[in-house]
Amino acid sequence: MSEALLAVKGLSKVFNADKVPVQALKGLSFAINEGEFVAITGKSGCGKSTLLSILGLLDEASDGDYHLCGQPIRQLSAFQKAALRNRNIGWVFQNFNLVNDMTVMENIVLPLRYNKAVAKSQYRVLAQQVLEQVGLRDKIDSYPEQLSGGQQQRVAIARALVTKPDILLADEPTGNLDSASEEAIFNLFEQLNGEGVTILLVTHSQKLADKCARVLHIQDGELVTEH
Ligand SMILES: Nc1ncnc2c1ncn2[C@@H]1O[C@H](COP(=O)(O)OP(=O)(O)O)[C@@H](O)[C@H]1O
Ligand SMILES: [Mg+2]
């Protein structure tokens, strides 16, 4: 069996913001291999976004182990984590998070600015490649506001893909879309997975989860079923 792309063991998270601590994650253990398409489901407040933030290196676990691409995250410096986050992880959010006064092309190449190995002269070609992948080749010079919600999410997915990440983390990416756009975005994820992208999809939609090969179901911060 190949080494897991990502593995957590006994992962816990406690928020101490208020007087009463909130235990958002309670000892989760699982692994995800390269090439998988996994859905994460569960009621609002069960800990899905908290889990994704830790897996995506935006937040830290309170306890437990996390290995990403074979590296023990706990032992990395802030700088090493930032580099890993920028190069190895693609993020897609519910509200797209595009910069409205930048063109589609400028939005897409934002993550490349942190990678000096990519020359600016390559930006347009790289943006064109990922736009082609998400089916929006003619929108490279448009502004986000000129696009539909579904198209904006495609741009956000293109931006997530431009660094050729090992894994795509998507937190309710279809939560703001109508059902036709939801289906189209899901089909795009399936297409990308077919092209070799590993995907972790947080979704409220049972219909979408049912189409994924593997589902992690979370209840009150615990992994209750996995299939
Ligand atoms: N920054 C935070 N500070 C305090 N509590 C938080 C924070 N983020 C999330 N929580 C709490 O952790 C629990 C899980 O939240 P979240 O991961 O956002 O759930 P989900 O994404 O499944 O809706 C909730 O009880 C939530 O209120
Ligand atoms: Mg959430």
Side-chain angles (χ1 to χ4, degrees):
M1 210 174 100
S2 65
E3 190 183 350
L5 178 60
L6 164 170
V8 297
K9 205 172 170 192
L11 189 84
S12 295
K13 178 69 180 179
V14 181
F15 288 109
N16 288 307
D18 294 317
K19 282 180 187 134
V20 185
V22 175
Q23 178 140 28
L25 298 174
K26 303 170 184 165
L28 276 69
S29 300
F30 61 88
I32 292 184
N33 290 323
E34 211 177 299
E36 283 199 272
F37 187 174
V38 180
I40 298 179
T41 60
K43 282 186 189 153
S44 183
C46 72
K48 304 181 297 296
S49 294
T50 302
L51 174 62
L52 222 59
S53 296
I54 293 170
L55 298 179
L57 307 179
L58 295 178
D59 199 357
E60 287 177 358
S62 308
D63 202 4
D65 277 327
Y66 175 25
H67 281 71
L68 175 62
C69 304
Q71 308 205 55
I73 296 307
R74 207 204 297 252
Q75 290 169 22
L76 301 183
S77 68
F79 181 79
Q80 288 171 314
K81 272 194 271 190
L84 200 58
R85 184 167 60 226
N86 183 243
R87 309 269 169 84
N88 302 67
I89 297 166
W91 269 105
V92 181
F93 299 96
Q94 179 169 354
N95 56 3
F96 325 137
N97 286 7
L98 297 174
V99 184
N100 279 329
D101 60 2
M102 287 185 174
T103 65
V104 164
M105 136 111 191
E106 288 166 343
N107 269 283
I108 288 175
V109 302
L110 271 176
L112 297 177
R113 289 194 186 177
Y114 304 98
N115 186 349
K116 293 201 179 77
V118 182
K120 276 193 178 165
S121 56
Q122 287 181 271
Y123 280 8
R124 197 169 176 91
V125 173
L126 290 171
Q128 259 159 350
Q129 281 172 2
V130 284
L131 273 175
E132 194 101 16
Q133 245 182 318
V134 303
L136 273 188
R137 56 184 300 180
D138 54 333
K139 300 293 184 191
I140 192 159
D141 294 314
S142 299
Y143 284 87
E145 286 167 344
Q146 298 171 313
L147 306 176
S148 71
Q151 288 173 328
Q152 290 189 45
Q153 192 59 298
R154 282 172 193 271
V155 173
I157 293 168
R159 178 184 55 190
L161 291 171
V162 79
T163 56
K164 300 191 170 56
D166 293 302
I167 189 162
L168 212 59
L169 301 178
D171 195 353
E172 313 251 14
T174 63
N176 282 352
L177 302 177
D178 59 77
S179 57
S181 305
E182 171 171 272
E183 190 162 339
I185 290 294
F186 185 81
N187 292 342
L188 173 59
F189 280 130
E190 282 189 318
Q191 171 209 315
L192 295 171
N193 181 244
E195 293 167 11
V197 183
T198 308
I199 299 175
L200 207 46
L201 169 73
V202 166
T203 182
H204 255 106
S205 164
Q206 194 56 46
K207 199 173 134 210
L208 295 190
D210 286 345
K211 294 192 208 177
C212 293
R214 188 174 164 205
V215 181
L216 305 178
H217 186 68
I218 300 177
Q219 200 174 306
D220 275 340
E222 284 180 275
L223 183 59
V224 287
T225 50
E226 182 178 345
H227 59 84

